[in-house]
Amino acid sequence: MSALSIKNVWKEYGDQIVLEDVSIEIASRAFVALVGPSGCGKSTFLRMLLGQETQTKGKILLDGEPLPKEPGPDRGVVFQRYSVFPHLTVLGNVMFGKELQASRFAGRLFGAARRAVEEEARAMIAAVGLMGSENKYPAQLSGGMQQRLALAQALIMRPKVLLLDEPFGALDPGIRAEIHTLMKKLWHEAPMTVVMVTHDMREAFTLGTRVVAFERPRDRPEEKLRYGATITKDITIWPPRQAGVPSIFRPDRDGPVSSKGQ
Amino acid sequence: MRWINSRPANGTRLALALLPFVLVLIAYAIGSAERLAENPNDKLLPGLTGFADAINRMAFVPEARTGSYLLWVDTLASLQRLGAGLAIATAIALLLGLVIGILPYARALLSPFVGAISMVPPLALLPILFIVMGLGETSKIALIAIGVTPIMIRDLALKAIELPREMIVKAETLSASSWQIALRVVLPQILPRLITCLRLQLGPAWLFLIAAEAISADSGLGYRIFLVRRYLSMDVIFPYVIWITLLAVATDILLDRLRIAVFPWSELEKGK
């Protein structure tokens, strides 16, 4: 289970109110797409779910427990850039989390323990379609492959919640369609809730079970400082998508088709 | 075609690279020949035979009094001091740079202090070092270390702070502790910079070494240059200067090769 419950959350930077009174219940295994104009605080909201920032007021609960004040392995993340480590190979990047978890002092594994993790990592690399690139460094990969790597690196930790901050924003449309197919497959297979910030409406409606819009209800220049953004639209995709359940519908006519549900 | 877009071919590039060296040599040869024509005993610009004699005397003939080969004794003494000074500087810079770069508390404590210390002119401290540590090896090594450490600390700390926050957050979501982030995320990414930083500090390190040797030593490349200055022995000084330059250039190239060999990814990341 991995349900998120956000209750009356406010975020202020000094006098500037960024988010006001945001409340939303996110069911376990949902795929929530956050959309909205630039600077409306959706990335700030995501960083609060991540634990990188703390809310000024209100509560964020994961499975009924308050979120820890810093990022941890229960919440995975993929950013638009800098999500992978340039000094590690593809294999090293994917094994990294497991190595850190198992070896608290050296942060490295050797022998049989390493081989076990390596096997798991290779399976994960295959699952995101990066076979054959195990020994390459991120600088030798294309943008799309780097994001696949970032997904594999996050997912091997089996996070309860996967947070995506415009992960596919910098990719060209063809590559983006391919990675959407992969993203759906991963969401169907891994027991996790996904929250994704995006600027691309089509991406939001292609991938999400629910599209949530952040906006500033009061946006006159003199109001900007004292009134923040909040949730103005909350659209549940119909026909409903459910993780792990194939769907007979194809809601996105031009989009990629995956074997399991749309 | 615009000048900014025309590039030399490989052969031309080599010729262009050699040209300034050749020009300097020719200028020297002309000057030297003119002076020697006027006065065969001229000491200021000795000819090639003069250099050959001096190099042979310093490098390949044992000195009459001690039986040692002076150039090699001097080189060994200087390189030992330089190596010790740079090793100490590197170790301190790596440790403090890493800590300042990672921990906000350490940054608050140490960053202004290191910033102030790095503004103290190291040569002004030389008399203090000689008084406190005596005229032996310690004070010379200390001068090199004091001279280059603060700048290396600041450089490495800046590099560590510059690492994208996303990377650190990502490591946290992979269950990394502060220690693991230091050891496996930040340290490996500042090590290539450490080598580059060391290369840039070679020049200042030689400067401090020669300054210290000039004032008090009984061997060393800087000591020899300042010793023979009394006899206007340009035939010894010039080869020594060229030898020091060669040593510094070779170290510089070797360090860069080392970086590429040990951290191949750092070369791939260049220009990104």
Side-chain angles (χ1 to χ4, degrees):
Chain A
M1 289 302 286
S2 45
L4 280 163
S5 171
I6 291 97
K7 292 178 177 160
N8 308 102
V9 163
W10 292 65
K11 179 68 188 175
E12 299 168 19
Y13 294 109
D15 277 346
Q16 171 81 56
I17 297 180
V18 179
L19 289 172
E20 58 175 62
D21 206 19
V22 174
S23 295
I24 181 173
E25 296 289 327
I26 298 173
S28 186
R29 305 229 48 197
F31 194 129
V32 177
L34 304 179
V35 297
S38 295
C40 70
K42 49 191 193 310
S43 286
T44 306
F45 182 71
L46 196 83
R47 283 201 293 275
M48 288 194 298
L49 295 184
L50 182 58
Q52 197 183 345
E53 292 190 33
T54 340
Q55 65 273 23
T56 317
K57 273 188 277 184
K59 275 187 198 163
I60 302 178
L61 308 175
L62 174 58
D63 289 337
E65 299 287 322
L67 276 184
K69 294 239 181 279
E70 52 179 12
D74 52 344
R75 285 152 292 155
V77 69
V78 175
F79 297 105
Q80 186 171 1
R81 293 181 66 200
Y82 307 122
S83 280
V84 293
F85 300 100
H87 63 291
L88 299 174
T89 59
V90 167
L91 186 63
N93 264 294
V94 178
M95 288 172 64
F96 195 48
K98 287 281 173 186
E99 280 195 290
L100 295 176
Q101 214 164 33
S103 164
R104 295 309 289 176
F105 182 72
R108 275 173 208 280
L109 292 175
F110 303 96
R114 184 185 167 85
R115 278 194 294 278
V117 170
E118 197 176 310
E119 203 168 305
E120 197 181 343
R122 283 183 193 278
M124 188 50 96
I125 289 169
V128 299
L130 285 178
M131 297 90 77
S133 302
E134 283 87 350
N135 294 319
K136 285 187 180 158
Y137 286 99
Q140 295 164 300
L141 302 179
S142 67
M145 287 164 92
Q146 287 190 17
Q147 291 309 76
R148 284 168 188 262
L149 174 59
L151 280 171
Q153 187 183 42
L155 290 181
I156 201 169
M157 300 303 285
R158 311 203 177 289
K160 287 181 169 186
V161 182
L162 180 65
L163 302 166
L164 308 171
D165 194 354
E166 294 186 43
F168 316 129
L171 308 181
D172 60 68
I175 304 288
R176 202 184 299 189
E178 281 174 23
I179 210 165
H180 284 167
T181 315
L182 170 68
M183 192 60 237
K184 275 192 185 175
K185 181 174 85 96
L186 295 172
W187 171 64
H188 280 298
E189 288 168 1
M192 60 183 179
T193 306
V194 181
V195 180
M196 173 175 73
V197 167
T198 179
H199 272 118
D200 180 349
M201 283 294 167
R202 186 157 134 211
E203 179 170 271
F205 282 92
T206 312
L207 291 177
T209 58
R210 193 172 167 190
V211 177
V212 172
F214 279 72
E215 258 175 306
R216 293 167 172 273
R218 291 163 181 259
D219 204 20
R220 296 213 310 270
E222 68 273 23
E223 294 171 339
K224 272 209 165 140
L225 189 64
R226 299 303 297 163
Y227 293 90
T230 191
I231 294 175
T232 54
K233 299 269 189 329
D234 185 346
I235 302 161
T236 305
I237 300 294
W238 202 94
R241 294 191 177 112
Q242 250 186 306
V245 180
S247 160
I248 51 167
F249 297 100
R250 272 186 69 194
D252 183 38
R253 289 168 296 137
D254 315 312
V257 187
S258 69
S259 54
K260 274 185 178 171
Q262 283 291 318
Chain B
M1 196 188 238
R2 289 180 187 83
W3 290 11
I4 56 163
N5 289 327
S6 51
R7 293 163 195 279
N10 277 344
T12 324
R13 190 176 308 149
L14 184 67
L16 285 174
L18 289 177
L19 185 65
F21 292 101
V22 174
L23 284 181
V24 168
L25 276 182
I26 291 174
Y28 181 87
I30 294 172
S32 165
E34 272 186 13
R35 286 189 72 103
L36 287 174
E38 222 167 84
N39 169 16
N41 291 325
D42 180 65
K43 299 198 82 169
L44 281 190
L45 299 179
L48 276 184
T49 46
F51 284 134
D53 275 355
I55 293 171
N56 186 43
R57 190 171 76 242
M58 301 306 290
F60 305 112
V61 177
E63 199 212 3
R65 189 166 58 83
T66 57
S68 55
Y69 299 86
L70 288 179
L71 178 68
W72 309 118
V73 171
D74 289 338
T75 305
L76 187 66
S78 285
L79 287 183
Q80 273 174 350
R81 290 167 191 147
L82 196 73
L86 285 176
I88 294 170
T90 306
I92 298 175
L94 192 58
L95 184 68
L96 288 186
L98 189 63
V99 167
I100 292 174
I102 292 178
L103 301 174
Y105 271 92
R107 199 177 311 153
L109 176 73
L110 292 175
S111 190
F113 181 68
V114 173
I117 290 289
S118 69
M119 292 301 151
V120 177
L123 285 180
L125 294 177
L126 189 54
I128 302 176
L129 294 177
F130 278 144
I131 293 167
V132 175
M133 300 179 166
L135 297 173
E137 296 300 299
T138 326
S139 53
K140 295 182 194 71
I141 293 169
L143 179 71
I144 297 173
I146 290 173
V148 299
T149 308
I151 295 177
M152 289 179 75
I153 295 177
R154 295 183 86 186
D155 193 53
L156 289 180
L158 279 179
K159 177 70 190 168
I161 294 168
E162 261 176 27
L163 288 180
R165 190 71 209 166
E166 286 92 333
M167 230 176 248
I168 310 289
V169 171
K170 178 85 182 202
E172 287 179 79
T173 67
L174 299 176
S175 81
S177 62
S178 299
W179 162 252
Q180 288 177 321
I181 289 175
L183 186 71
R184 294 226 46 204
V185 179
V186 181
L187 179 66
Q189 294 196 68
I190 63 172
L191 280 178
R193 180 68 209 174
L194 176 73
I195 294 181
T196 306
C197 185
L198 197 56
R199 286 172 61 204
L200 295 175
Q201 290 304 312
L202 282 177
W206 274 102
L207 168 72
F208 298 132
L209 173 72
I210 289 169
E213 284 180 347
I215 293 174
S216 152
D218 46 23
S219 64
L221 297 167
Y223 160 76
R224 193 69 53 196
I225 291 176
F226 276 79
L227 183 72
V228 300
R229 178 189 62 99
R230 297 174 198 167
Y231 318 113
L232 291 184
S233 295
M234 297 293 262
D235 55 342
V236 173
I237 295 178
F238 273 126
Y240 261 65
V241 172
I242 291 170
W243 177 236
I244 291 173
T245 312
L246 278 179
L247 286 175
V249 169
T251 324
D252 186 65
I253 293 172
L254 284 178
L255 282 174
D256 202 38
R257 290 281 162 81
L258 178 74
R259 177 183 64 80
I260 295 171
V262 183
F263 311 108
W265 58 270
S266 68
E267 195 64 9
L268 298 170
E269 285 289 314
K270 255 190 188 174
K272 278 223 144 187

PDB file of all heavy atoms in Angstrom, chain A residues 16-18 37 39-40 214-219 223-225 227-230 232:
ATOM      1  N   GLN A  16       6.297  35.537   0.616  1.00  0.00           N
ATOM      2  CA  GLN A  16       5.712  34.994  -0.609  1.00  0.00           C
ATOM      3  C   GLN A  16       4.953  33.696  -0.309  1.00  0.00           C
ATOM      4  O   GLN A  16       5.539  32.724   0.152  1.00  0.00           O
ATOM      5  CB  GLN A  16       6.841  34.727  -1.612  1.00  0.00           C
ATOM      6  CG  GLN A  16       6.428  33.963  -2.848  1.00  0.00           C
ATOM      7  CD  GLN A  16       5.783  34.862  -3.890  1.00  0.00           C
ATOM      8  OE1 GLN A  16       6.371  35.842  -4.321  1.00  0.00           O
ATOM      9  NE2 GLN A  16       4.569  34.518  -4.281  1.00  0.00           N
ATOM     10  N   ILE A  17       3.663  33.700  -0.585  1.00  0.00           N
ATOM     11  CA  ILE A  17       2.886  32.469  -0.440  1.00  0.00           C
ATOM     12  C   ILE A  17       2.889  31.750  -1.779  1.00  0.00           C
ATOM     13  O   ILE A  17       2.492  32.321  -2.794  1.00  0.00           O
ATOM     14  CB  ILE A  17       1.453  32.773   0.009  1.00  0.00           C
ATOM     15  CG1 ILE A  17       1.499  33.440   1.391  1.00  0.00           C
ATOM     16  CG2 ILE A  17       0.620  31.502   0.052  1.00  0.00           C
ATOM     17  CD1 ILE A  17       0.156  33.793   1.950  1.00  0.00           C
ATOM     18  N   VAL A  18       3.408  30.522  -1.784  1.00  0.00           N
ATOM     19  CA  VAL A  18       3.515  29.784  -3.043  1.00  0.00           C
ATOM     20  C   VAL A  18       2.313  28.860  -3.219  1.00  0.00           C
ATOM     21  O   VAL A  18       1.669  28.850  -4.259  1.00  0.00           O
ATOM     22  CB  VAL A  18       4.828  28.967  -3.077  1.00  0.00           C
ATOM     23  CG1 VAL A  18       4.924  28.181  -4.368  1.00  0.00           C
ATOM     24  CG2 VAL A  18       6.022  29.900  -2.942  1.00  0.00           C
ATOM     25  N   PRO A  37       0.547  26.249 -15.110  1.00  0.00           N
ATOM     26  CA  PRO A  37       1.499  27.181 -15.710  1.00  0.00           C
ATOM     27  C   PRO A  37       2.825  27.188 -14.939  1.00  0.00           C
ATOM     28  O   PRO A  37       2.888  26.741 -13.794  1.00  0.00           O
ATOM     29  CB  PRO A  37       0.792  28.533 -15.603  1.00  0.00           C
ATOM     30  CG  PRO A  37      -0.230  28.367 -14.552  1.00  0.00           C
ATOM     31  CD  PRO A  37      -0.633  26.934 -14.545  1.00  0.00           C
ATOM     32  N   GLY A  39       5.775  28.264 -12.630  1.00  0.00           N
ATOM     33  CA  GLY A  39       5.814  29.065 -11.415  1.00  0.00           C
ATOM     34  C   GLY A  39       4.563  28.947 -10.559  1.00  0.00           C
ATOM     35  O   GLY A  39       4.323  29.774  -9.694  1.00  0.00           O
ATOM     36  N   CYS A  40       3.743  27.902 -10.784  1.00  0.00           N
ATOM     37  CA  CYS A  40       2.529  27.792  -9.991  1.00  0.00           C
ATOM     38  C   CYS A  40       2.753  26.871  -8.792  1.00  0.00           C
ATOM     39  O   CYS A  40       1.828  26.567  -8.062  1.00  0.00           O
ATOM     40  CB  CYS A  40       1.373  27.285 -10.827  1.00  0.00           C
ATOM     41  SG  CYS A  40       1.577  25.562 -11.276  1.00  0.00           S
ATOM     42  N   PHE A 214      -2.755  22.828 -11.019  1.00  0.00           N
ATOM     43  CA  PHE A 214      -2.451  23.875 -10.039  1.00  0.00           C
ATOM     44  C   PHE A 214      -2.583  25.216 -10.739  1.00  0.00           C
ATOM     45  O   PHE A 214      -2.099  25.396 -11.848  1.00  0.00           O
ATOM     46  CB  PHE A 214      -1.024  23.734  -9.518  1.00  0.00           C
ATOM     47  CG  PHE A 214      -0.864  22.708  -8.449  1.00  0.00           C
ATOM     48  CD1 PHE A 214      -0.949  21.365  -8.752  1.00  0.00           C
ATOM     49  CD2 PHE A 214      -0.629  23.084  -7.144  1.00  0.00           C
ATOM     50  CE1 PHE A 214      -0.791  20.408  -7.765  1.00  0.00           C
ATOM     51  CE2 PHE A 214      -0.473  22.131  -6.140  1.00  0.00           C
ATOM     52  CZ  PHE A 214      -0.562  20.796  -6.457  1.00  0.00           C
ATOM     53  N   GLU A 215      -3.234  26.183 -10.048  1.00  0.00           N
ATOM     54  CA  GLU A 215      -3.368  27.514 -10.626  1.00  0.00           C
ATOM     55  C   GLU A 215      -3.471  28.517  -9.504  1.00  0.00           C
ATOM     56  O   GLU A 215      -3.866  28.166  -8.393  1.00  0.00           O
ATOM     57  CB  GLU A 215      -4.630  27.590 -11.475  1.00  0.00           C
ATOM     58  CG  GLU A 215      -4.395  27.504 -12.968  1.00  0.00           C
ATOM     59  CD  GLU A 215      -5.718  27.460 -13.704  1.00  0.00           C
ATOM     60  OE1 GLU A 215      -6.562  26.609 -13.401  1.00  0.00           O
ATOM     61  OE2 GLU A 215      -5.900  28.311 -14.580  1.00  0.00           O
ATOM     62  N   ARG A 216      -3.180  29.775  -9.823  1.00  0.00           N
ATOM     63  CA  ARG A 216      -3.423  30.843  -8.854  1.00  0.00           C
ATOM     64  C   ARG A 216      -4.806  31.404  -9.121  1.00  0.00           C
ATOM     65  O   ARG A 216      -5.019  32.024 -10.162  1.00  0.00           O
ATOM     66  CB  ARG A 216      -2.408  31.971  -9.041  1.00  0.00           C
ATOM     67  CG  ARG A 216      -1.009  31.599  -8.695  1.00  0.00           C
ATOM     68  CD  ARG A 216      -0.064  32.684  -9.217  1.00  0.00           C
ATOM     69  NE  ARG A 216       1.279  32.426  -8.730  1.00  0.00           N
ATOM     70  CZ  ARG A 216       1.719  32.861  -7.547  1.00  0.00           C
ATOM     71  NH1 ARG A 216       0.952  33.597  -6.778  1.00  0.00           N
ATOM     72  NH2 ARG A 216       2.946  32.575  -7.148  1.00  0.00           N
ATOM     73  N   PRO A 217      -5.729  31.248  -8.176  1.00  0.00           N
ATOM     74  CA  PRO A 217      -7.061  31.802  -8.389  1.00  0.00           C
ATOM     75  C   PRO A 217      -7.014  33.322  -8.449  1.00  0.00           C
ATOM     76  O   PRO A 217      -7.799  33.941  -9.156  1.00  0.00           O
ATOM     77  CB  PRO A 217      -7.854  31.330  -7.169  1.00  0.00           C
ATOM     78  CG  PRO A 217      -7.044  30.266  -6.541  1.00  0.00           C
ATOM     79  CD  PRO A 217      -5.630  30.502  -6.916  1.00  0.00           C
ATOM     80  N   ARG A 218      -6.141  33.928  -7.690  1.00  0.00           N
ATOM     81  CA  ARG A 218      -5.982  35.392  -7.752  1.00  0.00           C
ATOM     82  C   ARG A 218      -4.601  35.672  -8.303  1.00  0.00           C
ATOM     83  O   ARG A 218      -3.600  35.349  -7.679  1.00  0.00           O
ATOM     84  CB  ARG A 218      -6.093  35.988  -6.345  1.00  0.00           C
ATOM     85  CG  ARG A 218      -7.481  35.898  -5.750  1.00  0.00           C
ATOM     86  CD  ARG A 218      -7.371  36.128  -4.264  1.00  0.00           C
ATOM     87  NE  ARG A 218      -8.675  36.026  -3.614  1.00  0.00           N
ATOM     88  CZ  ARG A 218      -9.388  37.091  -3.262  1.00  0.00           C
ATOM     89  NH1 ARG A 218      -8.943  38.299  -3.515  1.00  0.00           N
ATOM     90  NH2 ARG A 218     -10.534  36.917  -2.661  1.00  0.00           N
ATOM     91  N   ASP A 219      -4.544  36.301  -9.464  1.00  0.00           N
ATOM     92  CA  ASP A 219      -3.252  36.439 -10.133  1.00  0.00           C
ATOM     93  C   ASP A 219      -2.994  37.864 -10.590  1.00  0.00           C
ATOM     94  O   ASP A 219      -2.221  38.098 -11.501  1.00  0.00           O
ATOM     95  CB  ASP A 219      -3.179  35.461 -11.312  1.00  0.00           C
ATOM     96  CG  ASP A 219      -1.728  35.136 -11.668  1.00  0.00           C
ATOM     97  OD1 ASP A 219      -0.854  35.342 -10.796  1.00  0.00           O
ATOM     98  OD2 ASP A 219      -1.466  34.692 -12.789  1.00  0.00           O
ATOM     99  N   GLU A 223      -1.782  41.009  -6.103  1.00  0.00           N
ATOM    100  CA  GLU A 223      -2.212  39.873  -5.296  1.00  0.00           C
ATOM    101  C   GLU A 223      -1.177  38.758  -5.254  1.00  0.00           C
ATOM    102  O   GLU A 223      -1.263  37.845  -4.449  1.00  0.00           O
ATOM    103  CB  GLU A 223      -3.517  39.300  -5.868  1.00  0.00           C
ATOM    104  CG  GLU A 223      -4.695  40.229  -5.751  1.00  0.00           C
ATOM    105  CD  GLU A 223      -5.894  39.706  -6.515  1.00  0.00           C
ATOM    106  OE1 GLU A 223      -5.722  38.879  -7.435  1.00  0.00           O
ATOM    107  OE2 GLU A 223      -7.015  40.127  -6.180  1.00  0.00           O
ATOM    108  N   LYS A 224      -0.172  38.852  -6.190  1.00  0.00           N
ATOM    109  CA  LYS A 224       0.730  37.716  -6.414  1.00  0.00           C
ATOM    110  C   LYS A 224       1.435  37.268  -5.147  1.00  0.00           C
ATOM    111  O   LYS A 224       1.623  36.084  -4.906  1.00  0.00           O
ATOM    112  CB  LYS A 224       1.752  38.073  -7.486  1.00  0.00           C
ATOM    113  CG  LYS A 224       1.242  37.765  -8.883  1.00  0.00           C
ATOM    114  CD  LYS A 224       2.369  37.431  -9.834  1.00  0.00           C
ATOM    115  CE  LYS A 224       1.810  36.786 -11.071  1.00  0.00           C
ATOM    116  NZ  LYS A 224       2.438  37.209 -12.296  1.00  0.00           N
ATOM    117  N   LEU A 225       1.846  38.260  -4.328  1.00  0.00           N
ATOM    118  CA  LEU A 225       2.652  37.936  -3.155  1.00  0.00           C
ATOM    119  C   LEU A 225       1.842  37.187  -2.106  1.00  0.00           C
ATOM    120  O   LEU A 225       2.311  36.215  -1.524  1.00  0.00           O
ATOM    121  CB  LEU A 225       3.219  39.242  -2.580  1.00  0.00           C
ATOM    122  CG  LEU A 225       4.259  39.076  -1.490  1.00  0.00           C
ATOM    123  CD1 LEU A 225       5.495  38.398  -2.041  1.00  0.00           C
ATOM    124  CD2 LEU A 225       4.630  40.442  -0.925  1.00  0.00           C
ATOM    125  N   TYR A 227      -1.261  35.702  -2.294  1.00  0.00           N
ATOM    126  CA  TYR A 227      -2.144  34.579  -2.620  1.00  0.00           C
ATOM    127  C   TYR A 227      -1.350  33.550  -3.419  1.00  0.00           C
ATOM    128  O   TYR A 227      -0.722  33.881  -4.414  1.00  0.00           O
ATOM    129  CB  TYR A 227      -3.358  35.048  -3.429  1.00  0.00           C
ATOM    130  CG  TYR A 227      -4.278  35.939  -2.632  1.00  0.00           C
ATOM    131  CD1 TYR A 227      -4.110  37.320  -2.613  1.00  0.00           C
ATOM    132  CD2 TYR A 227      -5.305  35.378  -1.871  1.00  0.00           C
ATOM    133  CE1 TYR A 227      -4.940  38.136  -1.872  1.00  0.00           C
ATOM    134  CE2 TYR A 227      -6.144  36.198  -1.127  1.00  0.00           C
ATOM    135  CZ  TYR A 227      -5.957  37.563  -1.127  1.00  0.00           C
ATOM    136  OH  TYR A 227      -6.780  38.363  -0.387  1.00  0.00           O
ATOM    137  N   GLY A 228      -1.381  32.309  -2.985  1.00  0.00           N
ATOM    138  CA  GLY A 228      -0.617  31.270  -3.658  1.00  0.00           C
ATOM    139  C   GLY A 228      -1.482  30.478  -4.618  1.00  0.00           C
ATOM    140  O   GLY A 228      -2.653  30.784  -4.831  1.00  0.00           O
ATOM    141  N   ALA A 229      -0.873  29.442  -5.177  1.00  0.00           N
ATOM    142  CA  ALA A 229      -1.598  28.561  -6.091  1.00  0.00           C
ATOM    143  C   ALA A 229      -2.267  27.450  -5.291  1.00  0.00           C
ATOM    144  O   ALA A 229      -1.860  27.137  -4.175  1.00  0.00           O
ATOM    145  CB  ALA A 229      -0.633  27.967  -7.101  1.00  0.00           C
ATOM    146  N   THR A 230      -3.305  26.892  -5.864  1.00  0.00           N
ATOM    147  CA  THR A 230      -3.948  25.747  -5.237  1.00  0.00           C
ATOM    148  C   THR A 230      -4.519  24.852  -6.332  1.00  0.00           C
ATOM    149  O   THR A 230      -4.386  25.163  -7.516  1.00  0.00           O
ATOM    150  CB  THR A 230      -5.025  26.207  -4.237  1.00  0.00           C
ATOM    151  OG1 THR A 230      -5.449  25.087  -3.478  1.00  0.00           O
ATOM    152  CG2 THR A 230      -6.206  26.837  -4.968  1.00  0.00           C
ATOM    153  N   THR A 232      -7.041  23.571  -8.763  1.00  0.00           N
ATOM    154  CA  THR A 232      -8.268  24.136  -9.328  1.00  0.00           C
ATOM    155  C   THR A 232      -9.046  23.109 -10.138  1.00  0.00           C
ATOM    156  O   THR A 232     -10.240  23.255 -10.322  1.00  0.00           O
ATOM    157  CB  THR A 232      -7.962  25.336 -10.230  1.00  0.00           C
ATOM    158  OG1 THR A 232      -7.000  24.914 -11.207  1.00  0.00           O
ATOM    159  CG2 THR A 232      -7.397  26.486  -9.430  1.00  0.00           C
TER     160      THR A 232
END
